[in-house]
Amino acid sequence: MDLFEYMRTSNAKEESPLAKRMRPTTLDEIVGQEHILGSDKLLYRVIKADKLSSIILYGPPGTGKTTLAKVIANTTSAAFKELNATTSGKKDIEEVVKEAKDNLGMYGKKTILFVDEIHRFNKAQQDYLLPFVEDGTVILIGATTENPYFEVNGALISRSSIFKLNPLSKDNIKELIIRAIEDSEKGMGAYNASITDEAVDFLADVSEGDARHALNAIELGVLSTDRDEATGKILIDMAVAEECIQRRNLRYDKSGDNHYDVISAFIKSMRGSDPDAATYYLAKMLYAGESVTFIARRIMICASEDVGNADPQAIVVATACAQAVERVGMPEAQIILCQAATYVACAPKSNSVVNAIFAATDAVKQVGDAQVPPHLRDAHYSGAKNLGNVGYKYAHDYPNHYVKQQYLPDPLVGSRFYEPGDNGYEKDIKAWFKVIKDDEQF
């Protein structure tokens, strides 16, 4: 390395963003991900022993996928190469493979290839890489924010171990914030800055498990805030934290009463067929950093509890929403949540299924172990006739695929649990039952 290259590297290191400077260099410096990096976990042990095989790291932004790859680079005796799938092409892969073959053939040295955003490699690029992963020419570390089972070549998946990284907990983010403020070597310690507990809580909360998001806000806060003339210190308080992360501190404690008040209002607005109010409370929850998966679960419940069979499509939309937000993540997830919430709010309403299951549960408690009528019992074994398990009428053999026969146990004959309402599809259910059950009261 010549003098100019040395100076360029040194300056780049000093001027790099806080999140990059604070990146751990050893396993013990990593915060969070104890489920895969605890001292008793497989991944921790193989990294420590330098016995890594191909892996794919999957998780949201800011959870430490690249950080973990860099730690591996610092601890392994293998050659370490890095590609970014957004900018690298087949030629780049070929060059890495050629060098890996030379290392293995001439020096007996393995090569670890880290591919960031591996899901952005097209099928041809992934297919080219496959045989070299398979024969051990390269040990692959792939990092992706997308579900690898959807986005990565199935053959690569089968030859790799998948490790899912979770969003960092609020306590994890708080630990990183404090470390960044106090660390004089890699953090902002030289600036003589401090941060209030309230600001730490707020930043940790709204960062939604993304360490990079929190550290970017800290760096911006320290660099843009004037020193106090009396103390000579830079203070990161709530006002500075709000400005740096461009989000106001709403009175919304995710473990307190206000949290339950807002989610209650959200559900009641959907139940009350007010899509505007439902959208407002949805926006408030998202702005305050509420979990998108929590919101999606509430929409699914409302779709069944308050819409039910008045619009059977509501639960389909809500379930698709829950699956989509987990795959897409924010900020796009807000659009999907709004579609589902407004659909449920605008759908015809019925609580008939709620009443049905509660009434049936009460009946179970009251009558105890009521016996299944003999003709409905299993008759697919020899000796069933001897036990009286005969007389079942196959509904498809009769007009309208319906025949009157006893289905409920004797003590409950004539009981009604499900009462279709007059809204939406339940009106059609009632009309159909009147057609097929013309001799019964319905």
Side-chain angles (χ1 to χ4, degrees):
M1 181 183 295
D2 61 27
L3 177 61
F4 295 105
E5 179 66 13
Y6 173 78
M7 291 300 296
R8 187 191 67 78
T9 304
S10 299
N11 291 336
K13 186 174 181 181
E14 291 177 4
E15 296 175 5
S16 60
L18 175 64
K20 187 173 182 179
R21 299 200 308 273
M22 291 294 297
R23 182 169 282 162
T25 56
T26 68
L27 277 173
D28 296 330
E29 291 179 356
I30 294 178
V31 174
Q33 310 305 339
E34 292 85 357
H35 65 293
I36 58 172
L37 293 176
S39 59
D40 61 335
K41 301 300 181 182
L42 173 65
L43 185 56
Y44 179 92
R45 297 199 308 272
V46 297
I47 293 173
K48 279 283 190 180
D50 199 9
K51 299 293 184 182
L52 190 71
S53 56
S54 293
I55 63 173
I56 293 178
L57 305 174
Y58 156 48
T63 52
K65 298 182 296 297
T66 303
T67 292
L68 183 52
K70 298 292 186 182
V71 166
I72 293 170
N74 291 335
T75 57
T76 184
S77 60
F80 189 89
K81 296 296 179 181
E82 181 177 353
L83 295 177
N84 190 308
T86 59
T87 57
S88 301
K90 185 178 177 182
K91 184 178 179 181
D92 300 296
I93 306 173
E94 290 173 343
E95 290 176 357
V96 170
V97 168
K98 181 180 182 304
E99 191 171 341
K101 287 180 177 178
D102 292 342
N103 284 335
L104 194 60
M106 291 189 288
Y107 310 110
K109 189 175 186 178
K110 294 181 179 179
T111 298
I112 293 176
L113 171 60
F114 172 55
V115 182
D116 202 6
E117 305 289 343
I118 191 172
H119 62 277
R120 293 188 180 274
F121 269 166
N122 60 37
K123 186 177 185 301
Q125 291 168 317
Q126 293 187 34
D127 285 345
Y128 178 80
L129 191 56
L130 175 62
F132 305 109
V133 172
E134 190 171 24
D135 67 12
T137 302
V138 295
I139 297 169
L140 174 68
I141 301 177
T144 175
T145 55
E146 304 292 331
N147 188 328
Y149 292 100
F150 291 107
E151 303 295 341
V152 178
N153 185 317
L156 278 178
I157 290 284
S158 69
R159 288 158 179 79
S160 308
S161 298
I162 311 295
F163 292 96
K164 188 175 188 301
L165 280 72
N166 298 324
L168 299 184
S169 70
K170 185 175 177 179
D171 286 340
N172 292 152
I173 299 291
K174 288 169 70 173
E175 181 179 344
L176 290 172
I177 290 172
I178 298 300
R179 185 187 294 182
I181 288 287
E182 296 177 349
D183 190 324
S184 298
E185 183 181 350
K186 296 190 291 184
M188 310 300 289
Y191 288 85
N192 194 22
S194 63
I195 186 168
T196 65
D197 291 342
E198 186 182 23
V200 171
D201 278 339
F202 170 66
L203 290 175
D205 200 28
V206 301
S207 295
E208 297 179 332
D210 186 335
R212 192 182 301 112
H213 196 36
L215 293 176
N216 287 344
I218 288 295
E219 183 174 32
L220 181 59
V222 171
L223 296 179
S224 63
T225 304
D226 295 330
R227 296 182 183 278
D228 183 272
E229 293 183 1
T231 65
K233 280 196 158 212
I234 294 172
L235 178 64
I236 307 298
D237 57 14
M238 181 60 73
V240 174
E242 288 178 341
E243 187 176 9
C244 291
I245 211 159
Q246 290 296 296
R247 185 176 290 185
R248 293 193 60 190
N249 181 29
L250 295 182
R251 191 172 68 85
Y252 187 89
D253 178 1
K254 283 188 273 187
S255 62
D257 290 343
N258 190 251
H259 158 79
Y260 295 106
D261 288 343
V262 176
I263 193 65
S264 175
F266 175 59
I267 294 167
K268 288 171 180 172
S269 297
M270 288 189 291
R271 179 184 297 145
S273 300
D274 192 328
D276 299 307
T279 301
Y280 168 76
Y281 291 118
L282 171 63
K284 184 171 183 177
M285 288 187 290
L286 292 172
Y287 189 82
E290 183 59 84
S291 162
V292 294
T293 54
F294 171 79
I295 297 171
R297 286 197 299 270
R298 305 314 300 181
I299 296 174
M300 282 195 290
I301 293 168
C302 189
S304 189
E305 180 179 355
D306 297 304
V307 177
N309 288 329
D311 183 354
Q313 190 68 16
I315 188 63
V316 177
V317 171
T319 303
C321 163
Q323 294 172 338
V325 298
E326 287 196 18
R327 183 171 181 185
V328 172
M330 287 292 282
E332 291 86 354
Q334 64 185 322
I335 302 168
I336 300 167
L337 288 166
C338 189
Q339 178 186 355
T342 53
Y343 187 99
V344 171
C346 295
K349 301 298 187 295
S350 169
N351 67 342
S352 295
V353 293
V354 177
N355 295 337
I357 191 60
F358 288 168
T361 301
D362 288 340
V364 170
K365 294 175 182 178
Q366 290 169 8
V367 303
D369 187 22
Q371 296 297 304
V372 173
H375 58 281
L376 297 185
R377 296 174 189 170
D378 181 21
H380 293 86
Y381 59 93
S382 60
K385 290 183 179 180
N386 296 334
L387 296 176
N389 299 357
V390 294
Y392 171 65
K393 299 176 182 177
Y394 187 58
H396 298 299
D397 289 338
Y398 296 85
N400 292 320
H401 299 259
Y402 171 78
V403 60
K404 185 177 179 180
Q405 64 183 327
Q406 180 183 338
Y407 289 98
L408 282 168
D410 291 341
L412 293 173
V413 170
S415 298
R416 291 281 298 279
F417 302 122
Y418 177 55
E419 299 273 2
D422 295 318
N423 287 338
Y425 182 67
E426 285 198 324
K427 184 188 294 183
D428 296 334
I429 294 174
K430 290 181 73 171
W432 174 243
F433 270 34
K434 285 180 180 177
V435 169
I436 65 173
K437 301 185 178 186
D438 55 358
D439 60 338
E440 302 175 42
Q441 183 178 359
F442 197 87

